[in-house]
């Protein structure tokens, strides 16, 4: 089979906090040779860099609330307009609600593009809470306190999980069991993508890194 016959690799990775989507997203993006665009990382870099954007979003992020859609969607639009995202991208943490789903569809539609797959990482709530607490100890993220974690998970369940219905209706969702070793989960993702004819270049039919 030829590598990725559609030629494009426009992916979303969606999952609750602590699902491992950041880690898996990087591996998928690398395998397909597309940039990983993680809105949370971009916001955090702006906060630590003390930029204007960082000053605007700092309090919102520390409370675990969502940055306004207009600001977030503009940031993503600008990032996806960069040349390295012309043939594809992996978005992590965006879209996160219905408004952002619509913004993304409008932007991509305007370019005559569409998504190729939405990777849904399924992890039970208890497991994600445990992982987040472990991460809080290791990384010291200011939004990894008990109260803020609860807020972020509640927003995920209320606003983000429902966007999967939109993508399910478009037959884009690949539901992946996110419980297992990192390698097992990675393999499940590449197998699911391959089942849609989405095969990473130079992977010999298996997108997992050697
Ligand atoms: P997590 O998924 O663990 O909450 P992220 O790194 O994806 O972490 O996001 C961190 C914070 O950045 C969010 O709590 C929110 O304040 C902000 N953020 C990230 N992506 C978005 C988005 N698409 N829309 C609004 N706010 C966002």
């Amino acid at each position: 089979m030829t590598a990725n016959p559609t030629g494009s690799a426009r992916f979303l990775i969606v999952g609750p906090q602590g699902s491992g989507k950041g880690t898996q997203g990087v591996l998928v993006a690398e395998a397909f040779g597309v940039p990983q665009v993680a809105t949370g990382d971009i916001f955090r870099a702006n906060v630590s860099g003390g930029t204007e954007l960082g000053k605007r979003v700092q309090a919102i992020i520390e409370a675990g609330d969502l940055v306004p859609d207009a600001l977030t969607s503009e940031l993503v639009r600008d990032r996806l307009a960069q040349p390295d995202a012309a043939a594809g991208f992996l978005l992590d943490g965006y879209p996160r609600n219905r408004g952002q789903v619509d913004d993304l569809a409008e932007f991509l539609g305007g370019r005559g593009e569409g998504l190729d797959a939405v990777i849904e990482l399924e992890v039970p709530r208890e497991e994600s809470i445990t992982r987040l607490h472990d991460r809080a100890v290791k990384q010291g993220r200011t939004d990894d306190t008990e109260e803020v974690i609860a807020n972020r998970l509640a927003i995920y369940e209320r606003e983000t999980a429902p966007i999967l219905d939109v993508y399910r209706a478009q037959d884009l969702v690949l539901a992946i069991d996110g419980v297992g070793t990192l390698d097992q989960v990675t393999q499940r993702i590449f197998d699911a993508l391959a089942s849609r004819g989405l095969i990473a270049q130079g992977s010999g039919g298996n997108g997992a890194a050697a």
Side-chain angles (χ1 to χ4, degrees):
M1 204 190 299
T2 53
N4 196 13
T6 65
S8 73
R10 297 190 177 89
F11 304 139
L12 308 184
I13 190 161
V14 183
Q17 287 74 10
S19 61
K21 69 185 164 57
T23 309
Q24 298 294 344
V26 168
L27 294 172
V28 173
E30 275 174 3
F32 282 84
V34 297
Q36 180 236 19
V37 176
T39 42
D41 290 348
I42 298 173
F43 286 137
R44 274 189 294 280
N46 277 276
V47 171
S48 51
T51 68
E52 274 312 305
L53 174 65
K55 285 178 195 147
R56 283 173 73 180
V57 303
Q58 180 164 13
I60 300 173
I61 288 175
E62 285 177 357
D65 292 327
L66 293 188
V67 174
D69 289 350
L71 193 58
T72 308
S73 289
E74 187 189 330
L75 181 93
V76 171
R77 258 198 310 274
D78 288 350
R79 179 63 189 87
L80 297 188
Q82 302 293 310
D84 66 335
F89 49 78
L90 179 133
L91 277 171
D92 167 356
Y94 180 94
R96 236 170 164 97
N97 59 23
R98 251 329 269 271
Q100 295 179 10
V101 167
D102 294 344
D103 288 345
L104 180 64
E106 191 186 319
F107 168 69
L108 291 178
R111 304 208 306 189
E113 296 170 359
L115 295 171
D116 294 297
V118 175
I119 301 160
E120 176 192 9
L121 267 190
E122 297 180 306
V123 173
R125 191 188 165 94
E126 281 313 307
E127 171 88 13
S128 42
I129 291 173
T130 309
R131 291 187 193 176
L132 283 171
H133 285 300
D134 291 351
R135 186 176 82 186
V137 175
K138 286 191 201 119
Q139 295 183 1
R141 252 173 69 168
T142 54
D143 61 351
D144 272 348
T145 64
E146 194 109 14
E147 191 190 346
V148 176
I149 286 172
N151 187 36
R152 283 154 56 215
L153 281 168
I155 293 175
Y156 180 81
E157 281 163 22
R158 191 174 68 235
E159 299 194 39
T160 308
I163 71 172
L164 288 162
D165 290 338
V166 177
Y167 294 125
R168 267 187 218 106
Q170 299 171 24
D171 195 26
L172 284 172
V173 176
L174 304 172
I176 307 293
D177 176 3
V179 180
T181 66
L182 194 144
D183 287 349
Q184 282 168 339
V185 177
T186 307
Q187 193 59 52
R188 287 175 200 147
I189 294 173
F190 284 120
D191 288 348
L193 288 168
S195 76
R196 298 289 179 104
L198 297 162
I199 296 168
Q201 287 167 17
S203 64
N206 169 356

